[in-house]
Amino acid sequence: MTTEFAGLIRAIQRERRRRRAVILSHYYQRPEVQDIADCLGDSLELARWAAGTDADVIVFCGVHFMAESAAILSPDKIVLLPEITAGCPMADMVTAEALRAKKAELPGYEVVAYVNTSAEVKAEADICCTSANVIKVIQSLPPEKPILFVPDANLARYAARKTGREIVPWPGYCSVHDQLRAQDIIRAKAAHPGAAVLVHPECREEVIEIADEVASTSGMLRYAANSDRREFIIGTEEGLLYRLRQECPGKEFHLASPHLVCDSMKLTTLEKVLRALETLEPRVTVAPDVRRRALQALERMLNLT
Ligand code: 13P
Ligand code: SF4
């Protein structure tokens, strides 16, 4: 792979130095895009990096809400999203307007926004969470308060079961994880009887119930590295397998279903990263008033975990 992309990678390294840029990449990105990252991580790790970097430019290899979070946390930096149409279909399932209407129906509820939301939606929330810290975030809320959780209903149900809290879920879902069914897991287990099943909490309840472990992407990496098991069935987006195989050589990883591919995450290519560095476009910015309110929800989460 390095040979195939050698020229592009050299050009990216040159531009990265010239621009004083850092490249952040999510685990669902193409392997060659993961390889050029200064920070490769899950949504929480990437948000922390974006908040702490002293670079002038952040190139975000992920989807739009992630770049927006970087712009909220680092307003004095130029934040580039190499493919500006790379959105998250789940984040689009809740708008600020619809959330405001729901809040009016449910006064007194604490509003938790999954980080997979627009800045405008975060601005309406009391606190954000990611799949890595959702339980900690829910447990931090006053026990007497009911909770409205947007937009992932599967994650909301999982958190309600783990914490025993009353949570009203928004009817959103991740089109990648939600299509995984118990039948897929049963089929994969029949093919790999010795394998442990790890699934993401964005999966349906029927999938979560028969998994050995429910974990965010970084949680799966930790679990696989520390486990005595040699073989794993992975119920999340296929990009994570590249990282799992690098971090755990000698262990075997099988994707739970061939359909676990997020098309938006694959839109970012090395060519687009290079063009973004050369032109300092496309940029992601957030209006100051929205930014101020969204920052409160994000910082409340980051201060907790
Ligand atoms: P993390 O588990 O990395 O937070 O991400 C899940 C996801 O679907 C990001 O789009
Ligand atoms: Fe959105 Fe799901 Fe793709 Fe993540 S994997 S970006 S939640 S559609």
Side-chain angles (χ1 to χ4, degrees), residues 66-179:
M66 296 179 174
E68 247 186 3
S69 295
I72 293 165
L73 292 163
S74 279
D76 51 334
K77 313 264 187 286
I78 294 174
V79 178
L80 304 173
L81 185 65
E83 172 51 64
I84 199 67
T85 66
C88 166
M90 172 162 66
D92 296 339
M93 291 177 188
V94 56
T95 62
E97 197 187 355
L99 178 53
R100 274 193 295 272
K102 194 72 185 170
K103 281 166 65 176
E105 269 173 43
L106 299 174
Y109 277 59
E110 289 280 300
V111 179
V112 180
Y114 194 23
V115 76
N116 301 39
T117 45
S118 67
E120 286 79 8
V121 166
K122 289 183 178 76
E124 295 295 329
D126 295 300
I127 189 165
C128 291
C129 75
T130 75
S131 57
N133 63 17
V134 59
I135 304 303
K136 209 174 208 174
V137 166
I138 298 289
Q139 284 170 338
S140 76
L141 301 174
E144 68 286 0
K145 290 252 194 153
I147 295 159
L148 170 63
F149 189 100
V150 293
D152 188 356
N154 288 331
L155 187 62
R157 276 190 288 268
Y158 169 72
R161 223 182 33 252
K162 291 288 275 187
T163 60
R165 297 293 300 266
E166 182 193 336
I167 301 182
V168 172
W170 194 266
Y173 58 90
C174 163
S175 44
V176 179
H177 291 92
D178 189 68
Q179 62 181 317

Side-chain angles (χ1 to χ4, degrees), residues 149-287:
F149 189 100
V150 293
D152 188 356
N154 288 331
L155 187 62
R157 276 190 288 268
Y158 169 72
R161 223 182 33 252
K162 291 288 275 187
T163 60
R165 297 293 300 266
E166 182 193 336
I167 301 182
V168 172
W170 194 266
Y173 58 90
C174 163
S175 44
V176 179
H177 291 92
D178 189 68
Q179 62 181 317
L180 189 64
R181 299 296 151 90
Q183 266 312 317
D184 296 310
I185 303 292
I186 292 163
R187 213 173 296 126
K189 278 176 85 131
H192 310 287
V197 178
L198 317 188
V199 305
H200 198 277
E202 289 175 11
C203 291
R204 288 176 175 228
E205 207 164 0
E206 66 180 56
V207 169
I208 285 178
E209 268 168 10
I210 56 172
D212 294 300
E213 181 71 9
V214 182
S216 66
T217 48
S218 54
M220 288 186 192
L221 280 160
R222 267 193 308 278
Y223 185 96
N226 297 329
S227 170
D228 294 336
R229 307 283 279 271
R230 313 298 309 159
E231 219 182 334
F232 302 86
I233 293 162
I234 301 298
T236 194
E237 210 277 345
E238 62 91 37
L240 186 69
L241 269 74
Y242 179 65
R243 190 71 201 151
L244 282 163
R245 288 177 179 139
Q246 281 190 324
E247 286 204 2
C248 307
K251 294 191 178 180
E252 270 188 63
F253 298 95
H254 312 284
L255 197 60
S257 148
H259 305 300
L260 288 167
V261 180
C262 178
D263 293 337
S264 296
M265 283 283 183
K266 308 305 182 202
L267 288 172
T268 306
T269 60
L270 291 183
E271 285 85 353
K272 290 176 191 173
V273 171
L274 178 59
R275 201 174 322 131
L277 280 164
E278 286 170 345
T279 61
L280 292 184
E281 295 289 345
R283 293 185 195 194
V284 173
T285 55
V286 178

